[in-house]
Amino acid sequence: MKIAFVLFDGVTFLDFIGFYDVIHRLRGFEATRDTTWDVCGLTEEIADEQGLAVKVSRVRPDLSAYDMVFVPGGMGTRKLRYDEVFMEWLKGAEEARYKVSVCTGSLLLGAAGFLEGRKATTHPRAYELLEPYCREVVPARIVRDGQVITAGGVASSIDLGLYVIKLLVSSEAAEQVQAQIDYPYRMQGVVEVEFTGPASE
C-alpha cells in the first residue's frame, strides 16, 4: 500500500495528523507491513490557517502512482477548489484505488470529479458546499461509496484511520490500534454504499 497525504496552505492539521497517527500503524501488521507514504504538496513548505508550517517530502508527485490518496480539510479548501494548478494535480489521483478525505477535503475530491454519482459527507457546516459535487450529502461520520471514503468534521479523522485499518487488515487490528492510542470512543455513524455510478472500480 502506497499512500499520498496531500497537504496545502490553509489545511487543518488535526484532519491530517489524526488520520496519519492511526494509519502509519499499518506497518505493524503482516498484511500491510510494506505500506509506504509521502507527505505531498505543490510547494516544499505548507502552512495552516494559523501559520504553523511543515515541510513536505514530495513536491507535486504523480498521484496516479499511489494506491491511496488522502485529502484533509481546512479553510483553504474553499478557494483551492478553483485553483487550476492544484486541481489538475489532484485529478491525477483518478487511478488511485482509494480516494479518502476528512472534513472539507471532500470539497476538493468533489471539485476533481471523484464524487460524481456518489454519496459523501463533510463537516456539518459545509454540507451545502458539498451538494453540487455529489449525488447525495449524507449526514454521517464516515461514508464509503465504492472506493471513495469521506469523513465528517475534524475529529472524525481518527475514526477514519481506524475504519481504514479495519478495511485493509481486520477488526481485530483496528481494536489493537485503538488500544495503542487510548481512544475510548466506539465508531458510529458509518454508511457504506455499493457504488453504481459511471466510474469503474
Side-chain angles (χ1 to χ4, degrees), residues 10 20 88 112 168 173 178:
Y20 170 82
E88 189 62 29
L168 298 181
Q178 185 169 349

Side-chain angles (χ1 to χ4, degrees), residues 58-174:
R58 296 287 306 280
V59 175
R60 201 174 181 175
D62 179 0
L63 295 178
S64 68
Y66 295 89
D67 302 298
M68 178 182 292
V69 174
F70 169 80
V71 184
M75 293 304 294
T77 60
R78 273 66 167 180
K79 64 179 181 180
L80 205 55
R81 293 177 289 166
Y82 308 109
D83 185 305
E84 293 182 4
V85 174
F86 180 87
M87 293 311 307
E88 189 62 29
W89 174 51
L90 185 59
K91 287 177 182 178
E94 183 175 2
E95 298 303 317
R97 182 178 180 188
Y98 296 103
K99 289 172 274 289
V100 181
S101 70
V102 169
C103 200
T104 55
S106 59
L107 299 181
L108 300 179
L109 293 186
F114 300 146
L115 301 183
E116 184 177 354
R118 299 181 188 268
K119 295 184 179 182
T121 194
T122 188
H123 192 290
R125 294 183 180 177
Y127 286 161
E128 290 186 4
L129 294 177
L130 184 61
E131 285 176 355
Y133 298 117
C134 62
R135 174 161 60 98
E136 180 183 343
V137 175
V138 181
R141 195 144 176 93
I142 296 172
V143 176
R144 179 187 177 193
D145 194 332
Q147 304 299 77
V148 177
I149 308 170
T150 55
V154 183
S156 66
S157 58
I158 298 174
D159 288 328
L160 178 63
L162 293 169
Y163 177 82
V164 170
I165 287 182
K166 178 180 177 180
L167 177 67
L168 298 181
V169 187
S170 66
S171 297
E172 292 75 18

Side-chain angles (χ1 to χ4, degrees), residues 31-47:
T32 50
R33 192 171 300 280
D34 294 332
T35 297
T36 62
W37 55 77
D38 292 312
V39 178
C40 308
L42 288 184
T43 56
E44 292 182 351
E45 183 177 278
I46 65 94

